Amino acid sequence: MRTVRTQVAIVGAGPAGLVLAHLLHLDGVRSVVLERRDRAYVEGRVRAGLLEQGTADLLRDTGVGRRMDREGQVHEGFELRFDGERHRLSTAELCGRTVTMYGQQEVVKDLIRARTEAGAPPYFGVDDIAVGDLTGDAATLRCTLGGQPAVVRADFVAGCDGFHGVTRRSVSAGRLTAYERTYPFAWLGVLAAAPPAGEELIYAVHERGFALHSMRSPTVSRLYLQVAPDEDLARWPDDRIRAELRTRLCPAGEPLHEGPLSRHGITSMRGFVVEPMQYGRLFLAGDAAHIVPPTAAKGLNLAVSDAVVLAGALAAWYARGDRGPLDGYTRTCLRHVWRAQDFSASLTRLFHPYPGEDAMEARLRRARLRRLVGSGAAATSFAEEYTGLARDPAAARRGAGA
Ligand code: RFL
Ligand code: PHB
């Protein structure tokens, strides 16, 4: 039996786990990252693409932002279409903040590269982790590493293994409370090998359903359509997807570049939070602890925020024996988690016609949209939430003295 001894065992090589490992390394704390999938899978998974300014700044500040600065696109605003009208909201003018479009899998590649260059690459293909007692003198994980049975002993376990991971489920029954909401629709997402229709994102609210025109690069667009929650992808041949995108995004015949579609997927819409986000030696971060519907693009950004809080708390423990920040981990994170849940829920309600929505509700939604584009105060508040002004992981890390 092989034994691996480390300070922090990190389960999952998504954004939460990899940012945490990177920051701990910079803080002189040893960790190992254990990932169920192989490297190609993790680096190829197409998911989020919008980095709040604080997330982009954190990557920059900590030395993993060079490719993002070369290849990512900084956006100073976005377009909102409804009732055949086009409105631009400038987040830069409203609150002085921008967002950066750069694919989640590119962030993941940059972080894996940094771990590899630091001599501590993640272990991939570790698909049988069993979490032992979390309340004793040390935490123990059993798994197979490189074909050999292994025990990983650590002071702490970071559960960064996403919503379907093993760490949250390893906590004894009754210790965690889950809050959950599912939405009566889903998003069908595709990549298009076509230049984006414009320089900024387009959010289109249409009576047939919501549509989003996003992007990953000057030659790759990312498109989403609201569909039924149990939608069958087989019912959506590419011609139907294109026609529906044109109807919802371009009601006045606005341009939309077309190209081959790939990476078709259905993303369910769910809000989920578990409280507390810690138990004994286990600390949950990112999707393992909370899920937001993708409407406001908060999932990845929240995962990075959690990782910054946890890295700071672990560094305080190892550097000064200060247990306070670890004890307060849940409280610190939940403030921004619930803020983002609320913004994501209200944006989801604002942008999507619910199945069976009546004429009254449709008009109330339109009145809210009108207020957003017609009131400086409403637009500024929206821009602050959208760009994550109040939850800036780069500022949090600088503030923690790192
Ligand atoms: P991740 O990225 O899910 O990473 C978790 C990692 O843990 C691994 N894992 C395990 N490893 C070892 N042992 C086990 N038993 C394990 N079980 C799982 C997984 O293989 C994986 O590598 O979580 P993290 O790091 O918390 O990051 C969160 C973000 O990934 C997530 O919030 C966003 O991508 C959510 N999300 C989206 N967010 C947006 O802001 N905009 C989007 O367009 C968007 N699209 C999406 C999404 C999430 C999706 N999911 C969860 C299915 C599209 C999809 C399809
Ligand atoms: C995306 O590009 O995946 C994306 C962008 C903005 C959103 C949601 C998703 O609000």
Side-chain angles (χ1 to χ4, degrees), residues 182-202:
T182 52
Y183 292 86
F185 36 78
W187 278 12
L188 188 164
V190 288
L191 284 183
E199 303 213 321
E200 295 180 341
L201 269 56
I202 305 166

Side-chain angles (χ1 to χ4, degrees), residues 98 255 295 307 319 363 390:
T98 60
T295 324
R363 278 163 179 72

Side-chain angles (χ1 to χ4, degrees), residues 12 15 19 53 71 95 113 124 126 129 153 167 180 214 218 242 272 299 315 326-327 347 402:
V19 168
Q53 183 170 324
E71 297 175 18
C95 69
R113 187 163 180 198
F124 290 100
V126 187
I129 292 177
R153 285 190 209 290
T167 56
E180 186 159 16
S214 181
R242 288 197 186 93
F272 173 87
L326 275 177
D327 290 340
L347 202 58

